[in-house]
C-alpha cells in the first residue's frame, strides 16, 4: 500500500539552510523511491487553513518512507537544515 510523507512548515527561519537542505533532500528522497506530489504554499485556504509551506511525497509503503527518512543521504540533508525551520513530518498510509 502506498504511503505519503507530508512535511508542514510552520516557520522557515533560515533561507540558506533551507536551500542547502533542499539541494540534498530532493535527490536523496527520489533515490529512495519517493515521488514529489505537491510542494509549495497553498493556492487557496478553506475553513481553518493556515498559509504554510507543504510538501507531499509518495512512497510505495510506510516502510519505504521511513527507510528514506532514516537513510544516510537524508540524514545529511537534515544536518544541513539544522535549526533552519520549524516543521513537522507525518508519514501516513494511502487508502
Amino acid at each position: 500500500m502506498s504511503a505519503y510523507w507530508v512535511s508542514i512548515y510552520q516557520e522557515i527561519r533560515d533561507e540558506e539552510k533551507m536551500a542547502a537542505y533542499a539541494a540534498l533532500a530532493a535527490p536523496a528522497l527520489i533515490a529512495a523511491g519517493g515521488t514529489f506530489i505537491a510542494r509549495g504554499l497553498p493556492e487557496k485556504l478553506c475553513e481553518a487553513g493556515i498559509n504554510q509551506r507543504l510538501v507531499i511525497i509518495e512512497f510505495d509503503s510506510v516502510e519505504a518512507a521511513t527507510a528514506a527518512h532514516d537513510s544516510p543521504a537524508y540524514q545529511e540533508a537534515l544536518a544541513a537544515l539544522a535549526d533552519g525551520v520549524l516543521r513537522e513530518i507525518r508519514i501516513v498510509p494511502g487508502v
Side-chain angles (χ1 to χ4, degrees), residues 2-76:
S2 61
Y4 298 88
W5 167 318
V6 182
S7 299
I8 303 160
Y9 290 76
Q10 289 95 7
E11 180 183 357
I12 298 175
R13 298 174 175 162
D14 187 320
E15 293 287 345
E16 288 181 17
K17 288 180 180 180
M18 179 70 177
Y21 163 80
L24 295 169
L29 296 173
I30 291 168
T35 301
F36 283 78
I37 302 297
R39 178 174 37 204
L41 292 169
E43 289 291 318
K44 179 169 176 54
L45 297 171
C46 301
E47 300 184 27
I50 300 172
N51 193 25
Q52 296 174 323
R53 179 178 173 79
L54 177 78
V55 178
I56 302 172
I57 308 165
E58 182 178 34
F59 286 89
D60 288 339
S61 65
V62 169
E63 294 78 17
T66 301
H69 181 274
D70 297 343
S71 72
Y74 186 72
Q75 293 302 305
E76 181 182 352

